[in-house]
C-alpha cells in the first residue's frame, strides 16, 4: 500500500516512524481505558513492522515461519517450557 513512500523514506526514517508507533502503543497499554484505541495501536505497530521488513528486503512471513515453525526456537516445544529466569 505504501511501499513507494516507505522505500523513498529509507530504513532509518521508517524505523523512526515504527518507534513512534511503539511509543503510542506503550501509552495505550498503560492507560488501558480504550479498547478501540489499543486495537488501532497494535495494528499500527504491526503495519510499520511489516513496512520496515519490506524496505529491508525481508519476507516477514517467511522469517517468522522459519524461526517458529518448530515452536519455541530454544526448547522446540509448541508451548515454551524454557526457564523464565533466562528471558522473563
Amino acid at each position: 500500500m505504501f511501499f513507494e513512500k516507505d522505500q523513498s523514506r529509507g530504513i532509518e526514517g521508517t524505523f523512526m516512524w515504527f518507534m513512534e508507533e511503539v511509543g503510542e502503543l506503550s501509552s495505550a497499554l498503560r492507560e488501558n481505558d480504550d479498547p478501540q484505541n489499543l486495537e488501532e495501536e497494535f495494528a499500527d505497530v504491526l503495519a510499520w513492522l511489516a513496512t520496515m521488513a519490506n524496505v529491508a528486503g525481508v519476507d516477514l512471513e517467511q522469517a517468522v515461519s522459519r524461526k517458529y515453525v518448530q515452536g519455541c526456537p530454544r526448547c522446540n516445544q509448541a508451548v515454551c517450557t524454557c526457564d523464565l529466569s533466562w528471558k522473563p
Side-chain angles (χ1 to χ4, degrees), residues 49-50 53-54 56-71 73:
L49 179 65
N54 285 338
V58 172
D59 181 328
L60 192 56
E61 181 180 9
Q62 186 177 62
V64 170
S65 292
R66 282 186 182 157
K67 184 158 187 176
Y68 295 102
V69 71
Q70 300 296 326

Side-chain angles (χ1 to χ4, degrees), residues 3-4 8-9 15 28-29 35 49-50 58 64 68 83-84 88:
F3 184 73
E4 297 297 325
S8 68
R9 182 184 307 108
F15 180 76
L29 286 166
L49 179 65
V58 172
V64 170
Y68 295 102
D83 186 343
L84 285 177

Side-chain angles (χ1 to χ4, degrees), residues 3 16 26-27 29 40 42 51-52 55 62 75 78 87:
F3 184 73
M16 295 306 293
S26 175
S27 295
L29 286 166
E40 290 173 4
F42 270 107
T51 292
M52 200 166 33
V55 171
Q62 186 177 62
C75 66
K87 194 171 192 180

Side-chain angles (χ1 to χ4, degrees), residues 17-18 20-22 24-25 37-51:
W17 278 103
F18 170 73
E20 182 174 325
E21 291 300 336
V22 169
E24 290 177 11
L25 174 59
N37 184 50
L38 192 58
E39 183 178 295
E40 290 173 4
E41 295 305 336
F42 270 107
D44 288 345
V45 167
L46 184 60
W48 280 101
L49 179 65
T51 292

